[in-house]
Amino acid sequence: MRIMKGLLIKDMYTILKARLWLFIPIIIILGIAAIGTDINKSLVWVGLYLYPFYGSLITNSLMRMDKSSKWIIYAKSLPIKPLHTVLSKYIAGTLIMMGSSVLTAAVSFMIWGFSAHIIFYLIMLFAVWMILTAVDMPIVCGMFDRHANTLGIVLKFALISVFTNITVTIMGTESLYTAANLILFFSAAFILFVISIPVSAWTYARKEF
């Protein structure tokens, strides 16, 4: 527990020092744009595409900064397991996305009033973020080079395209727009997210730095 607390404090300091916190207002603005715009207009697509993408950049950037700052080498002299290092990035990203989602909902409620539509949308976007992170992190943890970066970006945009269309289809089809489908989609994303943690730790441990 103390190890995880220390790693989270380090990651939060990195977020402040590297100005990664600037992603938070961007994420909130994109979320509001996606929620408040008609589904057929281009702005909603910008929000749907970039909201989860910018969120996944936070965990991605934290891992890369560990490498560039030589923390990964220093950590080998400490009682820190690969799982601890990787898990701290997942937790930090989750906390930031949860906070951003709450702020997005609060602002949206103030603008348009309380609506189940807003909550539904944000849960869907959060689920897409979990899926992107689950795919991106094992790549980043195992290959700290430009090829990994390119592969990660290509996979993320491909997944964003797929799940944006799924989201729009669900939101635009009354028979699919149900709590059961939301729970199913979110549960599948969460399971994939959890499974990716030990996979990321495994690829991270096999990497020679």
Side-chain angles (χ1 to χ4, degrees):
M1 183 63 72
R2 289 183 179 179
I3 291 175
M4 287 305 304
K5 181 179 179 181
L7 288 172
L8 283 172
I9 291 173
K10 178 190 74 67
D11 287 338
M12 291 304 174
Y13 177 79
T14 301
I15 289 170
L16 293 174
K17 189 71 174 179
R19 295 184 174 86
L20 293 179
W21 60 269
L22 291 174
F23 284 137
I24 297 175
I26 294 174
I27 292 169
I28 293 172
I29 291 170
L30 289 170
I32 294 171
I35 291 169
T37 311
D38 186 84
I39 206 70
N40 293 317
K41 295 183 180 179
S42 60
L43 187 59
V44 71
W45 287 91
V46 174
L48 285 171
Y49 267 82
L50 296 183
Y51 183 91
F53 176 75
Y54 270 99
S56 68
L57 284 180
I58 295 173
T59 48
N60 184 309
S61 299
L62 284 173
M63 186 58 74
R64 293 183 182 280
M65 286 177 184
D66 271 9
K67 195 262 182 176
S68 62
S69 66
K70 309 297 183 183
W71 161 261
I72 290 173
I73 297 174
Y74 174 66
K76 289 181 178 293
S77 65
L78 301 174
I80 298 175
K81 296 179 181 180
L83 180 60
H84 293 148
T85 300
V86 171
L87 185 58
S88 70
K89 307 299 182 289
Y90 276 82
I91 293 175
T94 300
L95 291 175
I96 289 173
M97 287 304 293
M98 287 178 66
S100 298
S101 297
V102 169
L103 289 173
T104 301
V107 175
S108 299
F109 291 156
M110 287 189 289
I111 297 175
W112 298 292
F114 179 81
S115 170
H117 164 81
I118 294 174
I119 298 175
F120 192 104
Y121 230 67
L122 285 173
I123 292 175
M124 290 286 288
L125 288 172
F126 193 89
V128 174
W129 169 78
M130 287 195 292
I131 293 170
L132 297 185
T133 301
V135 172
D136 188 46
M137 281 297 284
I139 297 172
V140 176
C141 289
M143 297 176 291
F144 289 95
D145 54 32
R146 61 187 177 184
H147 301 297
N149 186 53
T150 302
L151 179 59
I153 289 176
V154 170
L155 284 174
K156 278 192 286 188
F157 273 108
L159 285 170
I160 288 172
S161 297
V162 171
F163 288 104
T164 295
N165 280 286
I166 290 175
T167 302
V168 171
T169 300
I170 291 175
M171 298 297 288
T173 307
E174 187 175 351
S175 60
L176 297 176
Y177 191 23
T178 64
N181 284 333
L182 176 63
I183 293 171
L184 180 63
F185 185 74
F186 187 88
S187 298
F190 180 76
I191 291 171
L192 182 62
F193 184 77
V194 171
I195 291 174
S196 76
I197 295 174
V199 174
S200 296
W202 180 76
T203 59
Y204 174 84
R206 287 174 57 86
K207 178 71 177 179
E208 294 292 334
F209 300 102

